[in-house]
Structures are given as C-alpha cells and as structure tokens.
Amino acid sequence: MVDLTQLTGDYAASWLPWIMIPLIFYILPFPVVAIVFLWIEQETTEEEV
C-alpha cells in the first residue's frame, strides 16, 4: 500500500506543470479578456442611462 506522504514528483502528477503552462498562457487569457471587456462595457452602459 502506498503512503500518501511518500509521493514524490516522479509519481504524483509530475505532468501537471506541463499541462498548466499552455492552459494558463494560451487558453486562460481569452476568457479573462472577454470578462474584462464585458465588465468595461457594462460600466459604460450604466453611465449612459
């Protein structure tokens, strides 16, 4: 039986940083830019009313 305290980077999802790098730098900016854009547009429509 494997003790969870003995898991090292060789076994415990060592591939995770390689998945997170493209996720953060290639996929995540699109929704962030879209949310910021919608937030700015919402503020400008509230000022016009």
Side-chain angles (χ1 to χ4, degrees):
M1 188 165 168
V2 177
D3 186 10
L4 292 177
T5 60
Q6 295 176 350
L7 294 178
T8 62
D10 297 334
Y11 178 77
S14 60
W15 49 267
L16 189 60
W18 297 106
I19 297 297
M20 296 300 285
I21 289 170
L23 182 69
I24 290 171
F25 290 107
Y26 297 132
I27 298 171
L28 192 64
F30 294 106
V32 169
V33 169
I35 290 171
V36 170
F37 175 77
L38 291 174
W39 182 47
I40 292 172
E41 288 297 316
Q42 180 184 6
E43 286 185 349
T44 57
T45 55
E46 288 176 355
E47 291 175 357
E48 291 173 357
V49 173

